[in-house]
Amino acid sequence: DIQMTQSPSTLSASVGDRVTITCRASQSISKWLAWYQQKPGKGPKLLIYEASILEGGVPSRFSGSGSGTEFTLTISSLRPEDLATYYCQQYNDYFYTFGQGTKLEIK
Amino acid sequence: VRLQESGPGLVKPSETLSLTCSVSGASISSFQWGWIRQSPGEGLELIGYMYYTGTTHYNPSLKSRITISMDTSKDQFSLKVTSVTAADTAVYYCARVGSNYSNYVLGYWGQGTLVTVSS
């Protein structure tokens, strides 16, 4: 299995802050990484695929970068509606695996 | 595209968990369709996914206990997990493998249904 490790587990930031979440893969996954946003009581929502491509309708303050084993999700200017847990997921292998999640709290 | 899970919210230990996902706005004869679960307070775990031709990809740790099947005439697909234990207690999500722009990501999700395993 490809293990995905996210950091930090919890992040507290203020409205307007730039926020970065890191995801590391246990082996190279090229660009085959997606990011999801999960709000309380809801199913996850796709934000980014192929490490850096924004899904249609996702605000441009979200961006992704990286390749190989290290990836980042950045929110350029945090908004209150970004309160959520964020997950990375690799799809280099048929057996998709997820990071453990980063819970984003608004100060 | 909308997905809606349905099935019992309570299952007894050693019995079989059965869930159905109803799809609207798309035909399940395109893309792959699957199941993901989230144990209380935990992260996301892929259960497996299936193409209408019958090709399946299952989580190796669950493979001996799970079956995913499809009814293309109803645009529904189903999950069965046998010999359940308390460790199978989770919110179960159905999802489409494929967004409008990529065939490989989990592009659409249901809202999830909580299944509790308890006597």
Side-chain angles (χ1 to χ4, degrees), chain A residues 34 36 38 41-44 46 49 55-56 87 89 91 94-96 98, chain B residues 38 42 44 46 49 57 59-60 93 97 99 101-102 104-106 109-110:
Chain A
Y36 299 86
Q38 185 178 31
K42 302 284 190 180
L46 175 67
Y49 62 96
E55 175 71 355
Y87 293 93
Q89 174 239 321
Y91 52 105
Y94 284 124
F95 175 35
Y96 296 173
F98 296 86
Chain B
Q38 187 169 33
E42 300 293 328
L44 298 160
L46 176 75
Y49 52 98
H57 299 286
N59 182 326
Y93 297 97
V97 181
S99 70
Y101 308 97
S102 169
Y104 305 104
V105 291
L106 299 162
W109 296 64

PDB file of all heavy atoms in Angstrom, chain A residues 34 36 38 41-44 46 49 55-56 87 89 91 94-96 98, chain B residues 38 42 44 46 49 57 59-60 93 97 99 101-102 104-106 109-110:
ATOM      1  N   ALA A  34      -4.867  13.955  -5.489  1.00  0.00           N
ATOM      2  CA  ALA A  34      -6.045  14.811  -5.397  1.00  0.00           C
ATOM      3  C   ALA A  34      -6.178  15.354  -3.970  1.00  0.00           C
ATOM      4  O   ALA A  34      -5.700  14.755  -3.020  1.00  0.00           O
ATOM      5  CB  ALA A  34      -7.302  14.017  -5.759  1.00  0.00           C
ATOM      6  N   TYR A  36      -9.199  16.952  -1.284  1.00  0.00           N
ATOM      7  CA  TYR A  36     -10.631  17.044  -1.026  1.00  0.00           C
ATOM      8  C   TYR A  36     -10.867  17.912   0.203  1.00  0.00           C
ATOM      9  O   TYR A  36     -10.043  17.951   1.127  1.00  0.00           O
ATOM     10  CB  TYR A  36     -11.235  15.660  -0.755  1.00  0.00           C
ATOM     11  CG  TYR A  36     -11.089  14.691  -1.905  1.00  0.00           C
ATOM     12  CD1 TYR A  36      -9.941  13.926  -2.038  1.00  0.00           C
ATOM     13  CD2 TYR A  36     -12.095  14.550  -2.853  1.00  0.00           C
ATOM     14  CE1 TYR A  36      -9.796  13.038  -3.096  1.00  0.00           C
ATOM     15  CE2 TYR A  36     -11.963  13.664  -3.907  1.00  0.00           C
ATOM     16  CZ  TYR A  36     -10.804  12.914  -4.024  1.00  0.00           C
ATOM     17  OH  TYR A  36     -10.656  12.043  -5.078  1.00  0.00           O
ATOM     18  N   GLN A  38     -13.725  18.428   3.242  1.00  0.00           N
ATOM     19  CA  GLN A  38     -14.900  17.836   3.873  1.00  0.00           C
ATOM     20  C   GLN A  38     -15.401  18.751   4.983  1.00  0.00           C
ATOM     21  O   GLN A  38     -14.699  18.990   5.965  1.00  0.00           O
ATOM     22  CB  GLN A  38     -14.610  16.445   4.431  1.00  0.00           C
ATOM     23  CG  GLN A  38     -15.853  15.758   4.989  1.00  0.00           C
ATOM     24  CD  GLN A  38     -15.594  14.369   5.504  1.00  0.00           C
ATOM     25  OE1 GLN A  38     -14.506  14.064   5.989  1.00  0.00           O
ATOM     26  NE2 GLN A  38     -16.607  13.501   5.417  1.00  0.00           N
ATOM     27  N   GLY A  41     -20.498  16.882   8.578  1.00  0.00           N
ATOM     28  CA  GLY A  41     -21.758  16.265   8.193  1.00  0.00           C
ATOM     29  C   GLY A  41     -21.959  16.092   6.701  1.00  0.00           C
ATOM     30  O   GLY A  41     -23.037  15.678   6.258  1.00  0.00           O
ATOM     31  N   LYS A  42     -20.918  16.355   5.917  1.00  0.00           N
ATOM     32  CA  LYS A  42     -21.034  16.273   4.455  1.00  0.00           C
ATOM     33  C   LYS A  42     -20.029  15.290   3.890  1.00  0.00           C
ATOM     34  O   LYS A  42     -19.036  14.948   4.528  1.00  0.00           O
ATOM     35  CB  LYS A  42     -20.769  17.645   3.823  1.00  0.00           C
ATOM     36  CG  LYS A  42     -21.684  18.761   4.305  1.00  0.00           C
ATOM     37  CD  LYS A  42     -23.046  18.652   3.684  1.00  0.00           C
ATOM     38  CE  LYS A  42     -23.874  19.889   3.974  1.00  0.00           C
ATOM     39  NZ  LYS A  42     -25.220  19.796   3.381  1.00  0.00           N
ATOM     40  N   GLY A  43     -20.293  14.838   2.655  1.00  0.00           N
ATOM     41  CA  GLY A  43     -19.299  14.054   1.942  1.00  0.00           C
ATOM     42  C   GLY A  43     -18.188  14.948   1.426  1.00  0.00           C
ATOM     43  O   GLY A  43     -18.380  16.158   1.256  1.00  0.00           O
ATOM     44  N   PRO A  44     -17.007  14.383   1.200  1.00  0.00           N
ATOM     45  CA  PRO A  44     -15.892  15.185   0.667  1.00  0.00           C
ATOM     46  C   PRO A  44     -16.201  15.782  -0.705  1.00  0.00           C
ATOM     47  O   PRO A  44     -16.985  15.226  -1.473  1.00  0.00           O
ATOM     48  CB  PRO A  44     -14.748  14.174   0.585  1.00  0.00           C
ATOM     49  CG  PRO A  44     -15.067  13.139   1.621  1.00  0.00           C
ATOM     50  CD  PRO A  44     -16.563  13.027   1.567  1.00  0.00           C
ATOM     51  N   LEU A  46     -14.234  17.319  -4.177  1.00  0.00           N
ATOM     52  CA  LEU A  46     -12.971  17.391  -4.915  1.00  0.00           C
ATOM     53  C   LEU A  46     -12.569  18.842  -5.145  1.00  0.00           C
ATOM     54  O   LEU A  46     -13.366  19.643  -5.640  1.00  0.00           O
ATOM     55  CB  LEU A  46     -13.122  16.672  -6.253  1.00  0.00           C
ATOM     56  CG  LEU A  46     -11.936  16.738  -7.207  1.00  0.00           C
ATOM     57  CD1 LEU A  46     -10.738  15.970  -6.641  1.00  0.00           C
ATOM     58  CD2 LEU A  46     -12.325  16.175  -8.582  1.00  0.00           C
ATOM     59  N   TYR A  49      -7.001  18.032  -8.699  1.00  0.00           N
ATOM     60  CA  TYR A  49      -6.558  16.725  -9.200  1.00  0.00           C
ATOM     61  C   TYR A  49      -5.262  16.906  -9.981  1.00  0.00           C
ATOM     62  O   TYR A  49      -4.880  18.038 -10.305  1.00  0.00           O
ATOM     63  CB  TYR A  49      -7.647  16.060 -10.046  1.00  0.00           C
ATOM     64  CG  TYR A  49      -8.031  16.816 -11.291  1.00  0.00           C
ATOM     65  CD1 TYR A  49      -7.462  16.495 -12.521  1.00  0.00           C
ATOM     66  CD2 TYR A  49      -8.967  17.844 -11.248  1.00  0.00           C
ATOM     67  CE1 TYR A  49      -7.805  17.189 -13.663  1.00  0.00           C
ATOM     68  CE2 TYR A  49      -9.317  18.540 -12.384  1.00  0.00           C
ATOM     69  CZ  TYR A  49      -8.741  18.206 -13.586  1.00  0.00           C
ATOM     70  OH  TYR A  49      -9.079  18.897 -14.728  1.00  0.00           O
ATOM     71  N   GLU A  55     -10.329  21.807  -9.832  1.00  0.00           N
ATOM     72  CA  GLU A  55     -11.603  21.310 -10.347  1.00  0.00           C
ATOM     73  C   GLU A  55     -12.500  22.506 -10.684  1.00  0.00           C
ATOM     74  O   GLU A  55     -12.407  23.572 -10.052  1.00  0.00           O
ATOM     75  CB  GLU A  55     -12.271  20.416  -9.291  1.00  0.00           C
ATOM     76  CG  GLU A  55     -13.663  19.905  -9.634  1.00  0.00           C
ATOM     77  CD  GLU A  55     -13.682  18.848 -10.731  1.00  0.00           C
ATOM     78  OE1 GLU A  55     -12.627  18.556 -11.326  1.00  0.00           O
ATOM     79  OE2 GLU A  55     -14.773  18.307 -10.989  1.00  0.00           O
ATOM     80  N   GLY A  56     -13.348  22.344 -11.677  1.00  0.00           N
ATOM     81  CA  GLY A  56     -14.236  23.415 -12.076  1.00  0.00           C
ATOM     82  C   GLY A  56     -15.088  23.920 -10.921  1.00  0.00           C
ATOM     83  O   GLY A  56     -15.624  23.128 -10.153  1.00  0.00           O
ATOM     84  N   TYR A  87      -8.218  16.490   2.916  1.00  0.00           N
ATOM     85  CA  TYR A  87      -7.584  15.196   2.717  1.00  0.00           C
ATOM     86  C   TYR A  87      -6.850  15.161   1.376  1.00  0.00           C
ATOM     87  O   TYR A  87      -7.373  15.644   0.362  1.00  0.00           O
ATOM     88  CB  TYR A  87      -8.628  14.069   2.690  1.00  0.00           C
ATOM     89  CG  TYR A  87      -9.330  13.828   4.001  1.00  0.00           C
ATOM     90  CD1 TYR A  87     -10.536  14.457   4.288  1.00  0.00           C
ATOM     91  CD2 TYR A  87      -8.801  12.949   4.949  1.00  0.00           C
ATOM     92  CE1 TYR A  87     -11.194  14.230   5.487  1.00  0.00           C
ATOM     93  CE2 TYR A  87      -9.451  12.714   6.144  1.00  0.00           C
ATOM     94  CZ  TYR A  87     -10.644  13.364   6.413  1.00  0.00           C
ATOM     95  OH  TYR A  87     -11.292  13.133   7.608  1.00  0.00           O
ATOM     96  N   GLN A  89      -5.205  12.397  -1.439  1.00  0.00           N
ATOM     97  CA  GLN A  89      -5.487  11.021  -1.865  1.00  0.00           C
ATOM     98  C   GLN A  89      -4.655  10.717  -3.099  1.00  0.00           C
ATOM     99  O   GLN A  89      -4.631  11.498  -4.041  1.00  0.00           O
ATOM    100  CB  GLN A  89      -6.967  10.861  -2.188  1.00  0.00           C
ATOM    101  CG  GLN A  89      -7.358   9.500  -2.773  1.00  0.00           C
ATOM    102  CD  GLN A  89      -7.986   9.608  -4.133  1.00  0.00           C
ATOM    103  OE1 GLN A  89      -8.771  10.510  -4.416  1.00  0.00           O
ATOM    104  NE2 GLN A  89      -7.656   8.672  -5.019  1.00  0.00           N
ATOM    105  N   TYR A  91      -3.825   8.371  -6.441  1.00  0.00           N
ATOM    106  CA  TYR A  91      -4.453   7.444  -7.368  1.00  0.00           C
ATOM    107  C   TYR A  91      -3.439   6.938  -8.394  1.00  0.00           C
ATOM    108  O   TYR A  91      -3.762   6.670  -9.554  1.00  0.00           O
ATOM    109  CB  TYR A  91      -5.710   8.029  -8.014  1.00  0.00           C
ATOM    110  CG  TYR A  91      -5.587   9.382  -8.665  1.00  0.00           C
ATOM    111  CD1 TYR A  91      -5.549   9.512 -10.053  1.00  0.00           C
ATOM    112  CD2 TYR A  91      -5.567  10.550  -7.898  1.00  0.00           C
ATOM    113  CE1 TYR A  91      -5.475  10.757 -10.659  1.00  0.00           C
ATOM    114  CE2 TYR A  91      -5.484  11.791  -8.495  1.00  0.00           C
ATOM    115  CZ  TYR A  91      -5.437  11.894  -9.861  1.00  0.00           C
ATOM    116  OH  TYR A  91      -5.365  13.133 -10.464  1.00  0.00           O
ATOM    117  N   TYR A  94      -4.202   1.290  -8.133  1.00  0.00           N
ATOM    118  CA  TYR A  94      -5.649   1.008  -8.115  1.00  0.00           C
ATOM    119  C   TYR A  94      -6.233   1.121  -6.713  1.00  0.00           C
ATOM    120  O   TYR A  94      -7.400   1.475  -6.554  1.00  0.00           O
ATOM    121  CB  TYR A  94      -5.918  -0.410  -8.632  1.00  0.00           C
ATOM    122  CG  TYR A  94      -5.812  -0.545 -10.123  1.00  0.00           C
ATOM    123  CD1 TYR A  94      -4.947  -1.483 -10.688  1.00  0.00           C
ATOM    124  CD2 TYR A  94      -6.582   0.241 -10.976  1.00  0.00           C
ATOM    125  CE1 TYR A  94      -4.851  -1.618 -12.052  1.00  0.00           C
ATOM    126  CE2 TYR A  94      -6.488   0.111 -12.345  1.00  0.00           C
ATOM    127  CZ  TYR A  94      -5.614  -0.824 -12.883  1.00  0.00           C
ATOM    128  OH  TYR A  94      -5.523  -0.957 -14.244  1.00  0.00           O
ATOM    129  N   PHE A  95      -5.419   0.793  -5.682  1.00  0.00           N
ATOM    130  CA  PHE A  95      -5.891   0.873  -4.310  1.00  0.00           C
ATOM    131  C   PHE A  95      -5.643   2.298  -3.816  1.00  0.00           C
ATOM    132  O   PHE A  95      -4.542   2.636  -3.335  1.00  0.00           O
ATOM    133  CB  PHE A  95      -5.170  -0.154  -3.448  1.00  0.00           C
ATOM    134  CG  PHE A  95      -5.506  -0.072  -1.976  1.00  0.00           C
ATOM    135  CD1 PHE A  95      -6.780   0.274  -1.553  1.00  0.00           C
ATOM    136  CD2 PHE A  95      -4.539  -0.335  -1.022  1.00  0.00           C
ATOM    137  CE1 PHE A  95      -7.089   0.363  -0.211  1.00  0.00           C
ATOM    138  CE2 PHE A  95      -4.834  -0.260   0.329  1.00  0.00           C
ATOM    139  CZ  PHE A  95      -6.106   0.093   0.737  1.00  0.00           C
ATOM    140  N   TYR A  96      -6.664   3.153  -3.973  1.00  0.00           N
ATOM    141  CA  TYR A  96      -6.546   4.546  -3.571  1.00  0.00           C
ATOM    142  C   TYR A  96      -6.347   4.626  -2.062  1.00  0.00           C
ATOM    143  O   TYR A  96      -7.036   3.935  -1.300  1.00  0.00           O
ATOM    144  CB  TYR A  96      -7.825   5.308  -3.914  1.00  0.00           C
ATOM    145  CG  TYR A  96      -8.148   5.426  -5.384  1.00  0.00           C
ATOM    146  CD1 TYR A  96      -9.363   5.964  -5.798  1.00  0.00           C
ATOM    147  CD2 TYR A  96      -7.270   5.025  -6.381  1.00  0.00           C
ATOM    148  CE1 TYR A  96      -9.684   6.102  -7.136  1.00  0.00           C
ATOM    149  CE2 TYR A  96      -7.588   5.148  -7.730  1.00  0.00           C
ATOM    150  CZ  TYR A  96      -8.796   5.691  -8.092  1.00  0.00           C
ATOM    151  OH  TYR A  96      -9.113   5.813  -9.424  1.00  0.00           O
ATOM    152  N   PHE A  98      -5.705   7.510   1.337  1.00  0.00           N
ATOM    153  CA  PHE A  98      -5.893   8.885   1.773  1.00  0.00           C
ATOM    154  C   PHE A  98      -4.914   9.246   2.883  1.00  0.00           C
ATOM    155  O   PHE A  98      -4.492   8.382   3.660  1.00  0.00           O
ATOM    156  CB  PHE A  98      -7.311   9.062   2.334  1.00  0.00           C
ATOM    157  CG  PHE A  98      -8.416   8.858   1.335  1.00  0.00           C
ATOM    158  CD1 PHE A  98      -8.910   7.583   1.074  1.00  0.00           C
ATOM    159  CD2 PHE A  98      -8.985   9.930   0.667  1.00  0.00           C
ATOM    160  CE1 PHE A  98      -9.938   7.383   0.165  1.00  0.00           C
ATOM    161  CE2 PHE A  98     -10.018   9.751  -0.243  1.00  0.00           C
ATOM    162  CZ  PHE A  98     -10.482   8.478  -0.489  1.00  0.00           C
TER     163      PHE A  98
ATOM    164  N   GLN B  38     -15.750   5.922   6.562  1.00  0.00           N
ATOM    165  CA  GLN B  38     -15.059   6.789   7.514  1.00  0.00           C
ATOM    166  C   GLN B  38     -15.503   6.392   8.909  1.00  0.00           C
ATOM    167  O   GLN B  38     -16.646   6.668   9.300  1.00  0.00           O
ATOM    168  CB  GLN B  38     -15.387   8.250   7.221  1.00  0.00           C
ATOM    169  CG  GLN B  38     -14.619   9.267   8.032  1.00  0.00           C
ATOM    170  CD  GLN B  38     -14.822  10.673   7.495  1.00  0.00           C
ATOM    171  OE1 GLN B  38     -15.879  11.018   6.978  1.00  0.00           O
ATOM    172  NE2 GLN B  38     -13.794  11.497   7.596  1.00  0.00           N
ATOM    173  N   GLU B  42     -12.238   9.164  12.474  1.00  0.00           N
ATOM    174  CA  GLU B  42     -11.082   8.696  11.704  1.00  0.00           C
ATOM    175  C   GLU B  42     -11.097   9.270  10.293  1.00  0.00           C
ATOM    176  O   GLU B  42     -11.977  10.044   9.920  1.00  0.00           O
ATOM    177  CB  GLU B  42     -11.078   7.165  11.637  1.00  0.00           C
ATOM    178  CG  GLU B  42     -11.007   6.484  12.986  1.00  0.00           C
ATOM    179  CD  GLU B  42      -9.673   6.718  13.686  1.00  0.00           C
ATOM    180  OE1 GLU B  42      -8.661   6.844  12.973  1.00  0.00           O
ATOM    181  OE2 GLU B  42      -9.662   6.786  14.928  1.00  0.00           O
ATOM    182  N   LEU B  44     -10.504   8.605   5.903  1.00  0.00           N
ATOM    183  CA  LEU B  44     -11.242   7.945   4.830  1.00  0.00           C
ATOM    184  C   LEU B  44     -10.538   6.670   4.391  1.00  0.00           C
ATOM    185  O   LEU B  44      -9.308   6.629   4.278  1.00  0.00           O
ATOM    186  CB  LEU B  44     -11.370   8.897   3.647  1.00  0.00           C
ATOM    187  CG  LEU B  44     -12.141  10.181   3.937  1.00  0.00           C
ATOM    188  CD1 LEU B  44     -11.817  11.247   2.903  1.00  0.00           C
ATOM    189  CD2 LEU B  44     -13.637   9.902   3.965  1.00  0.00           C
ATOM    190  N   LEU B  46     -10.823   3.595   1.375  1.00  0.00           N
ATOM    191  CA  LEU B  46     -11.463   3.030   0.191  1.00  0.00           C
ATOM    192  C   LEU B  46     -11.895   1.603   0.473  1.00  0.00           C
ATOM    193  O   LEU B  46     -11.124   0.798   0.986  1.00  0.00           O
ATOM    194  CB  LEU B  46     -10.495   3.046  -0.986  1.00  0.00           C
ATOM    195  CG  LEU B  46     -11.021   2.390  -2.263  1.00  0.00           C
ATOM    196  CD1 LEU B  46     -12.036   3.303  -2.936  1.00  0.00           C
ATOM    197  CD2 LEU B  46      -9.885   2.043  -3.218  1.00  0.00           C
ATOM    198  N   TYR B  49     -14.204  -0.292  -5.844  1.00  0.00           N
ATOM    199  CA  TYR B  49     -14.982   0.324  -6.900  1.00  0.00           C
ATOM    200  C   TYR B  49     -15.089  -0.625  -8.079  1.00  0.00           C
ATOM    201  O   TYR B  49     -14.335  -1.608  -8.189  1.00  0.00           O
ATOM    202  CB  TYR B  49     -14.414   1.682  -7.325  1.00  0.00           C
ATOM    203  CG  TYR B  49     -12.946   1.717  -7.692  1.00  0.00           C
ATOM    204  CD1 TYR B  49     -12.541   1.659  -9.022  1.00  0.00           C
ATOM    205  CD2 TYR B  49     -11.974   1.856  -6.708  1.00  0.00           C
ATOM    206  CE1 TYR B  49     -11.195   1.715  -9.360  1.00  0.00           C
ATOM    207  CE2 TYR B  49     -10.625   1.908  -7.037  1.00  0.00           C
ATOM    208  CZ  TYR B  49     -10.250   1.847  -8.364  1.00  0.00           C
ATOM    209  OH  TYR B  49      -8.920   1.904  -8.700  1.00  0.00           O
ATOM    210  N   HIS B  57     -12.065  -3.376  -8.187  1.00  0.00           N
ATOM    211  CA  HIS B  57     -10.831  -3.143  -7.434  1.00  0.00           C
ATOM    212  C   HIS B  57     -11.232  -3.015  -5.974  1.00  0.00           C
ATOM    213  O   HIS B  57     -11.959  -2.079  -5.608  1.00  0.00           O
ATOM    214  CB  HIS B  57     -10.128  -1.877  -7.914  1.00  0.00           C
ATOM    215  CG  HIS B  57      -9.724  -1.925  -9.347  1.00  0.00           C
ATOM    216  ND1 HIS B  57      -8.659  -2.687  -9.788  1.00  0.00           N
ATOM    217  CD2 HIS B  57     -10.248  -1.332 -10.445  1.00  0.00           C
ATOM    218  CE1 HIS B  57      -8.547  -2.550 -11.104  1.00  0.00           C
ATOM    219  NE2 HIS B  57      -9.497  -1.742 -11.519  1.00  0.00           N
ATOM    220  N   ASN B  59     -10.278  -3.087  -1.680  1.00  0.00           N
ATOM    221  CA  ASN B  59      -9.280  -2.907  -0.638  1.00  0.00           C
ATOM    222  C   ASN B  59      -8.763  -4.298  -0.234  1.00  0.00           C
ATOM    223  O   ASN B  59      -9.545  -5.157   0.171  1.00  0.00           O
ATOM    224  CB  ASN B  59      -9.939  -2.204   0.554  1.00  0.00           C
ATOM    225  CG  ASN B  59      -8.987  -1.918   1.691  1.00  0.00           C
ATOM    226  OD1 ASN B  59      -8.059  -2.674   1.955  1.00  0.00           O
ATOM    227  ND2 ASN B  59      -9.233  -0.821   2.375  1.00  0.00           N
ATOM    228  N   PRO B  60      -7.454  -4.516  -0.343  1.00  0.00           N
ATOM    229  CA  PRO B  60      -6.927  -5.861  -0.033  1.00  0.00           C
ATOM    230  C   PRO B  60      -7.284  -6.350   1.367  1.00  0.00           C
ATOM    231  O   PRO B  60      -7.486  -7.552   1.562  1.00  0.00           O
ATOM    232  CB  PRO B  60      -5.409  -5.680  -0.193  1.00  0.00           C
ATOM    233  CG  PRO B  60      -5.259  -4.538  -1.138  1.00  0.00           C
ATOM    234  CD  PRO B  60      -6.395  -3.618  -0.832  1.00  0.00           C
ATOM    235  N   TYR B  93     -19.881   6.064   2.359  1.00  0.00           N
ATOM    236  CA  TYR B  93     -20.148   6.943   1.237  1.00  0.00           C
ATOM    237  C   TYR B  93     -20.094   6.170  -0.076  1.00  0.00           C
ATOM    238  O   TYR B  93     -19.206   5.321  -0.254  1.00  0.00           O
ATOM    239  CB  TYR B  93     -19.091   8.054   1.141  1.00  0.00           C
ATOM    240  CG  TYR B  93     -19.035   9.011   2.306  1.00  0.00           C
ATOM    241  CD1 TYR B  93     -18.115   8.839   3.327  1.00  0.00           C
ATOM    242  CD2 TYR B  93     -19.889  10.118   2.360  1.00  0.00           C
ATOM    243  CE1 TYR B  93     -18.041   9.735   4.393  1.00  0.00           C
ATOM    244  CE2 TYR B  93     -19.827  11.018   3.420  1.00  0.00           C
ATOM    245  CZ  TYR B  93     -18.900  10.811   4.424  1.00  0.00           C
ATOM    246  OH  TYR B  93     -18.831  11.698   5.471  1.00  0.00           O
ATOM    247  N   VAL B  97     -16.102   7.393  -9.514  1.00  0.00           N
ATOM    248  CA  VAL B  97     -14.698   7.544  -9.870  1.00  0.00           C
ATOM    249  C   VAL B  97     -14.669   8.278 -11.205  1.00  0.00           C
ATOM    250  O   VAL B  97     -14.876   7.683 -12.267  1.00  0.00           O
ATOM    251  CB  VAL B  97     -13.982   6.190  -9.972  1.00  0.00           C
ATOM    252  CG1 VAL B  97     -12.503   6.405 -10.317  1.00  0.00           C
ATOM    253  CG2 VAL B  97     -14.134   5.404  -8.675  1.00  0.00           C
ATOM    254  N   SER B  99     -14.476  12.788 -12.394  1.00  0.00           N
ATOM    255  CA  SER B  99     -15.118  14.101 -12.346  1.00  0.00           C
ATOM    256  C   SER B  99     -15.416  14.510 -13.787  1.00  0.00           C
ATOM    257  O   SER B  99     -15.310  13.699 -14.705  1.00  0.00           O
ATOM    258  CB  SER B  99     -14.185  15.111 -11.679  1.00  0.00           C
ATOM    259  OG  SER B  99     -13.073  15.390 -12.533  1.00  0.00           O
ATOM    260  N   TYR B 101     -13.570  16.319 -15.449  1.00  0.00           N
ATOM    261  CA  TYR B 101     -12.313  16.597 -16.123  1.00  0.00           C
ATOM    262  C   TYR B 101     -11.273  15.498 -15.968  1.00  0.00           C
ATOM    263  O   TYR B 101     -10.250  15.518 -16.628  1.00  0.00           O
ATOM    264  CB  TYR B 101     -11.737  17.918 -15.607  1.00  0.00           C
ATOM    265  CG  TYR B 101     -12.739  19.049 -15.672  1.00  0.00           C
ATOM    266  CD1 TYR B 101     -13.483  19.410 -14.553  1.00  0.00           C
ATOM    267  CD2 TYR B 101     -12.971  19.728 -16.859  1.00  0.00           C
ATOM    268  CE1 TYR B 101     -14.414  20.435 -14.614  1.00  0.00           C
ATOM    269  CE2 TYR B 101     -13.900  20.750 -16.927  1.00  0.00           C
ATOM    270  CZ  TYR B 101     -14.613  21.096 -15.803  1.00  0.00           C
ATOM    271  OH  TYR B 101     -15.543  22.098 -15.855  1.00  0.00           O
ATOM    272  N   SER B 102     -11.512  14.550 -15.047  1.00  0.00           N
ATOM    273  CA  SER B 102     -10.557  13.465 -14.809  1.00  0.00           C
ATOM    274  C   SER B 102     -11.314  12.175 -14.580  1.00  0.00           C
ATOM    275  O   SER B 102     -12.312  12.160 -13.862  1.00  0.00           O
ATOM    276  CB  SER B 102      -9.695  13.780 -13.578  1.00  0.00           C
ATOM    277  OG  SER B 102      -8.955  12.633 -13.186  1.00  0.00           O
ATOM    278  N   TYR B 104     -10.218   9.565 -12.975  1.00  0.00           N
ATOM    279  CA  TYR B 104      -9.619   8.735 -11.938  1.00  0.00           C
ATOM    280  C   TYR B 104      -9.880   9.211 -10.524  1.00  0.00           C
ATOM    281  O   TYR B 104      -9.654   8.475  -9.581  1.00  0.00           O
ATOM    282  CB  TYR B 104      -8.115   8.611 -12.182  1.00  0.00           C
ATOM    283  CG  TYR B 104      -7.808   8.098 -13.568  1.00  0.00           C
ATOM    284  CD1 TYR B 104      -7.346   8.959 -14.561  1.00  0.00           C
ATOM    285  CD2 TYR B 104      -8.033   6.773 -13.898  1.00  0.00           C
ATOM    286  CE1 TYR B 104      -7.103   8.493 -15.843  1.00  0.00           C
ATOM    287  CE2 TYR B 104      -7.782   6.300 -15.172  1.00  0.00           C
ATOM    288  CZ  TYR B 104      -7.317   7.167 -16.141  1.00  0.00           C
ATOM    289  OH  TYR B 104      -7.086   6.711 -17.404  1.00  0.00           O
ATOM    290  N   VAL B 105     -10.332  10.434 -10.358  1.00  0.00           N
ATOM    291  CA  VAL B 105     -10.555  10.956  -9.009  1.00  0.00           C
ATOM    292  C   VAL B 105     -11.999  10.711  -8.585  1.00  0.00           C
ATOM    293  O   VAL B 105     -12.863  10.391  -9.389  1.00  0.00           O
ATOM    294  CB  VAL B 105     -10.236  12.461  -8.946  1.00  0.00           C
ATOM    295  CG1 VAL B 105      -8.744  12.686  -9.114  1.00  0.00           C
ATOM    296  CG2 VAL B 105     -11.025  13.243  -9.983  1.00  0.00           C
ATOM    297  N   LEU B 106     -12.249  10.863  -7.292  1.00  0.00           N
ATOM    298  CA  LEU B 106     -13.589  10.670  -6.741  1.00  0.00           C
ATOM    299  C   LEU B 106     -14.348  11.976  -6.903  1.00  0.00           C
ATOM    300  O   LEU B 106     -14.314  12.845  -6.038  1.00  0.00           O
ATOM    301  CB  LEU B 106     -13.474  10.216  -5.295  1.00  0.00           C
ATOM    302  CG  LEU B 106     -12.719   8.884  -5.155  1.00  0.00           C
ATOM    303  CD1 LEU B 106     -12.234   8.674  -3.725  1.00  0.00           C
ATOM    304  CD2 LEU B 106     -13.616   7.730  -5.584  1.00  0.00           C
ATOM    305  N   TRP B 109     -19.766  12.542  -4.654  1.00  0.00           N
ATOM    306  CA  TRP B 109     -19.972  11.747  -3.457  1.00  0.00           C
ATOM    307  C   TRP B 109     -21.421  11.863  -2.990  1.00  0.00           C
ATOM    308  O   TRP B 109     -22.063  12.898  -3.176  1.00  0.00           O
ATOM    309  CB  TRP B 109     -19.082  12.265  -2.321  1.00  0.00           C
ATOM    310  CG  TRP B 109     -17.612  12.151  -2.525  1.00  0.00           C
ATOM    311  CD1 TRP B 109     -16.855  12.782  -3.477  1.00  0.00           C
ATOM    312  CD2 TRP B 109     -16.697  11.390  -1.738  1.00  0.00           C
ATOM    313  NE1 TRP B 109     -15.526  12.449  -3.333  1.00  0.00           N
ATOM    314  CE2 TRP B 109     -15.398  11.604  -2.266  1.00  0.00           C
ATOM    315  CE3 TRP B 109     -16.834  10.556  -0.623  1.00  0.00           C
ATOM    316  CZ2 TRP B 109     -14.261  11.009  -1.722  1.00  0.00           C
ATOM    317  CZ3 TRP B 109     -15.708   9.963  -0.075  1.00  0.00           C
ATOM    318  CH2 TRP B 109     -14.435  10.194  -0.628  1.00  0.00           C
ATOM    319  N   GLY B 110     -21.894  10.795  -2.346  1.00  0.00           N
ATOM    320  CA  GLY B 110     -23.151  10.897  -1.635  1.00  0.00           C
ATOM    321  C   GLY B 110     -22.937  11.610  -0.311  1.00  0.00           C
ATOM    322  O   GLY B 110     -21.805  11.953   0.046  1.00  0.00           O
TER     323      GLY B 110
END
